[in-house]
Structures are given as C-alpha cells and as structure tokens.
Amino acid sequence: MNDQLLGRVTDADLGPVICVVGARPNFMKMAPILRAMAAHVPALPVLLVHTGQHYDKDMSERLFEDLRLPTPDVNLEVGSGTHAVQTAEVMRRFEPVVDAYQPSCVAVVGDVNSTLACALVAVKKNVPVVHIEAGLRSYDRAMPEEINRILTDQIADRLYTTERTAQDNLAREGIASHQVCFAGNVMIDSVVFGRANARSVSHTLQACHVDPGVIRHPLGMGVVTLHRPSNVDHPDSLRALLGVLGEVATSLPLVFVLHPRTRSNIERFGLTDLIDPARMVLLPPQGYLEMLGLMAEATLVLTDSGGLQEETTALGVPCLTLRENTERPITVEQGTNTLVGRNREAILGAVKDILAGKGKRGRLPELWDGHAAQRIAADMYPWLKQRQADMASRLRVL
Ligand code: UD1
C-alpha cells in the first residue's frame, strides 16, 4: 500500500477503490469524484491509476494542476498506439496493479480505450466495475468510443448515468435497473469548481504569444476544436471542414485549439494554406481553466468533442457539433447544442442565426448541478458494503 493509504484511518474490510484515468476527458470527470470520496467517505481508501494514454504536458499534467488532481499513485505509461496495441498494453500493465492492491472495486469514467481496458482486467478477476457516465449511446458503431461504452456497460456492476435516456439505453441492452443510478453529470461539477478561476481569453492568447487584437471583433469570437477520426483522419473530410471554417472566419474570428492528432494531419495532408492566420488563431492544447475561459467568452463553439457539448450547455453558450449524431441528446433537447455534421449549408446557416442573436440559450438539465460526484460517493460506499455482506453470506451458505 502507498503512504497515502497507510496514513489514513480506513475501512479495514474494504480494499481500495482503484480510480482509473487515461486520457484528457477522464481528468475532469475523476477530479470531483476523488474530492467527493475524500470529503464524504474518508474511510474508503482510494488509489489513483493513470494509464498514460495521454502523456504530453498539455494533454495531461497541466489538467492535473488545473483540476487539483493528486499525483497518480501509479502511472502505467502506455502512450500511443493502434487501438489494439493501446488497449492490450493498458490491460497488460494494469493487471499486476489489481493483483497487488486487491481493490474493492475499479472505477472507470467515460469511453476512452483505458476505460474499457481496465474494466476488462477487473471483471476477469472478479473485481466489481463501477462505470461513471454510463449508458450514453450515439448508435454509431464506427466510433471507437461507442464500442468502449457498450462493452464497459455490459461488464460493469454499478452504473452511474448523467441523463435519463441513458437508463433506457441500458435497459434495451438488458442491464437491470437496480444496477443503475441516475447521479447527474460529474463533468459539470468540474465546470462549477473551475468557473471562478477560468483564465481570460486575452491572458490565454498572450501566454501563447498571440496578439489578442487579432480576435477583437464586434461579434466576438468563435472557438473551434476537432479531433474525431471521422473528421480529421481523412484528407477530404478535413479539407472540407477547414474550408467551411475559413468561410465562418470571414464573419467571426476563430480560435482553433488544436489536438496533436489534428495538427499532425493538417501538416501531413498539406492543408496548412487553408488557414488564414489573420482570421483564425491556432493554439496548442490548452489547460482546463484556459478552455473554460475560451468557451465562456465565446459567441459560439464549433466542435466534435463530447465534453464541450456538455460544457457549453452548462455555460449557456451556443454549440455547433460537427457530427451527424451525439451520445448526449439532452444537450440538443434542453441545452445549447445543434448537430450540423460536416454540411456546409447547415454550418453556415446555424452560424448566421447565432450571429443574428438567434442562438440557443438552453437550460440546465436535471442534476447537472455541481453535486453529481457527491451523490456517487454517497451511493458507492453503502453499495460496496452491501456487496461485501452479500458475498459473505453466500460463502457461509457454501
Ligand atoms: C482519445 C479518446 C477520445 C477522446 C480523446 C480526447 C479513445 C479511443 N479515444 O482520442 O475518446 O475524445 O482522447 O483527446 O480512447 N497524442 C499526443 N500526445 C498525447 C496523446 C496523444 O501527441 O499526450 C497524439 C498521438 O499522435 C496519438 C494521437 O494523438 O497517436 C491520438 O491519441 P489517442 O489517445 O490514441 O486518441 P485521441 O484521438 O486523443
């Protein structure tokens, strides 16, 4: 056991909860869970494992600082690879951690490769799996995340959902309702936590040696992120999207925060000329507080990220999602999100509406209130104790 675990008065009957993070969108989901567990169930020991799926300072360390995440107890340092290689490598390196710590459960968040890989290791060792942000479905199996979501939910023992449609999706896949708990959205806990400390756009631009004057405009500025393989891994799709963004930029200056995958593909496909630096500022991946500031000050956001769809709904900023579908339908039905795909007319039409003041303002979905992690922590401890009691009585019968 590490010092952190030894130094605390812990529930002697329960092994630690292993909390897994791997890639950028996991960090904002796990940070509030760790805080809530420390505050509300301090007797429950926790071990933080970082798989190292994301490893650049800008993709990982900086977010740990912004979200006040503790240094991971274990870093598996898997790095990048094909889906098979990355998933297999996480599994190979995570198994000895489970063996060494004998956890009471493994808690995973979201839908990245690390989520599925660690859940698979745990379930094969009869360690219960807790999935936070369960039941979201895009019904698009070409998305690697959709496969990760379906499979993780199938092997999870306790499933926490962010919106009510998730429970219906899970029921359709045969998951018993007593395993599912509607807890709200931990992503929004982090928005509430970070909002007051969000960095101003001018601060962010200056830190990147960009003159904030470039984006000064009567209509404000738009923020862009793109990283889905379906949008950025094919030259034709990426070229088409950069072309439309160029058109948008003629009426609204854009700040484009580039994922490493996107930056390298723009260069590899020879598309750099499609970006007019006078109208579109390119930034490297940003910290959490910088992204919050950029979104909060934006007139609109253009993105293919799941997290940004939710964060813009929480911030009341119109969001145009450059995808045909979303696994987060509540952001469209109640929030500020509109699906526009890669359709030029749809994108330009929606931008025009927003600039004319007709953008969605939306409302906050149920339980997106900053207390989701608290509800999860409050549920998880009695659930683990009950599970332990059930196992003990089953053993007595045998
Ligand atoms: C992963 C998740 C995706 C999530 C996204 C957020 C899966 C299947 N995908 O996609 O759901 O929305 O994270 O960013 O898990 N790279 C770096 N530095 C890093 C990490 C990655 O340069 O720290 C580059 C590498 O070239 C790597 C590529 O980005 O090959 C893709 O990284 P990877 O983790 O495989 O997938 P993401 O596209 O980031």
Side-chain angles (χ1 to χ4, degrees), residues 33-148:
I33 305 257
L34 294 181
R35 266 195 300 278
M37 299 225 298
H40 300 287
V41 278
L44 197 56
V46 171
L47 189 88
L48 180 61
V49 173
H50 189 341
T51 66
Q53 177 174 343
H54 284 175
Y55 43 86
D56 281 348
K57 188 171 194 299
D58 286 346
M59 299 288 284
S60 180
E61 206 179 309
R62 222 170 133 184
L63 288 118
F64 266 68
E65 287 161 19
D66 286 350
L67 293 157
R68 311 234 184 100
L69 271 162
T71 307
D73 299 289
V74 178
N75 192 325
L76 304 178
E77 296 179 348
V78 294
S80 300
T82 63
H83 286 275
V85 166
Q86 192 172 59
T87 308
E89 203 54 39
V90 174
M91 291 182 70
R92 211 175 61 76
R93 296 186 192 198
F94 186 56
E95 184 171 47
V97 177
V98 175
D99 288 340
Y101 287 95
Q102 297 292 310
S104 56
C105 70
V106 168
V108 295
V109 290
D111 54 17
V112 303
N113 286 344
S114 301
T115 307
L116 173 62
C118 292
L120 256 176
V121 170
V123 73
K124 298 248 179 166
K125 291 188 164 286
N126 288 322
V127 173
V129 173
V130 171
H131 187 202
I132 294 143
E133 199 192 78
L136 296 181
R137 295 290 179 271
S138 64
Y139 291 96
D140 174 3
R141 289 198 178 201
M143 281 181 83
E145 294 81 4
E146 182 76 351
I147 306 300
N148 293 341

Side-chain angles (χ1 to χ4, degrees), residues 123-363:
V123 73
K124 298 248 179 166
K125 291 188 164 286
N126 288 322
V127 173
V129 173
V130 171
H131 187 202
I132 294 143
E133 199 192 78
L136 296 181
R137 295 290 179 271
S138 64
Y139 291 96
D140 174 3
R141 289 198 178 201
M143 281 181 83
E145 294 81 4
E146 182 76 351
I147 306 300
N148 293 341
R149 288 189 279 261
I150 294 169
L151 297 180
T152 304
D153 286 339
Q154 278 299 322
I155 56 179
D157 296 84
R158 191 82 181 134
L159 300 94
Y160 295 105
T161 57
T162 55
E163 56 176 277
R164 289 195 185 273
T165 55
Q167 173 118 15
D168 304 334
N169 294 333
L170 292 169
R172 268 194 290 276
E173 290 168 18
I175 291 160
S177 61
H178 70 84
Q179 290 177 257
V180 184
C181 171
F182 174 41
N185 195 337
V186 286
M187 195 84 164
I188 308 309
D189 294 12
S190 278
V191 174
V192 172
F193 178 79
R195 184 72 209 267
N197 296 320
R199 305 254 150 74
S200 71
V201 174
S202 51
H203 176 283
T204 299
L205 293 180
Q206 276 159 358
C208 296
H209 313 291
V210 175
D211 173 10
V214 178
I215 53 131
R216 216 161 279 138
H217 189 276
L219 294 173
M221 53 98 198
V223 170
V224 183
T225 78
L226 281 178
H227 74 282
R228 296 270 158 224
S230 56
N231 279 336
V232 305
D233 280 3
H234 307 285
D236 292 346
S237 316
L238 189 53
R239 185 181 297 107
L241 275 172
L242 291 178
V244 183
L245 291 175
E247 289 187 69
V248 173
T250 59
S251 38
L252 184 73
L254 297 178
V255 177
F256 191 168
V257 184
L258 278 178
H259 187 285
R261 173 199 280 277
T262 312
R263 177 180 290 278
S264 94
N265 286 349
I266 290 175
E267 286 162 11
R268 195 156 59 97
F269 303 149
L271 303 174
T272 318
D273 290 350
L274 290 176
I275 292 158
D276 174 0
R279 297 180 185 279
M280 204 188 299
V281 172
L282 299 187
L283 296 185
Q286 292 298 304
Y288 183 69
L289 298 175
E290 284 81 3
M291 274 315 291
L292 267 189
L294 281 163
M295 284 186 282
E297 287 186 46
T299 305
L300 59 88
V301 170
L302 291 137
T303 190
D304 59 9
S305 150
L308 265 72
Q309 293 173 52
E310 297 184 337
E311 289 159 345
T312 46
T313 277
L315 295 167
V317 173
C319 175
L320 300 180
T321 294
L322 303 165
R323 285 174 49 191
E324 302 298 336
N325 51 54
T326 179
E327 60 289 336
R328 296 162 161 89
I330 207 163
T331 60
V332 176
E333 287 150 18
Q334 298 183 17
T336 59
N337 192 15
T338 307
L339 295 181
V340 288
R342 281 195 296 271
N343 181 302
R344 177 180 173 274
E345 280 69 38
I347 297 169
L348 295 178
V351 169
K352 198 170 158 206
D353 283 350
I354 294 168
L355 296 185
K358 290 186 266 176
K360 282 184 173 182
R361 288 290 150 203
R363 63 186 156 93

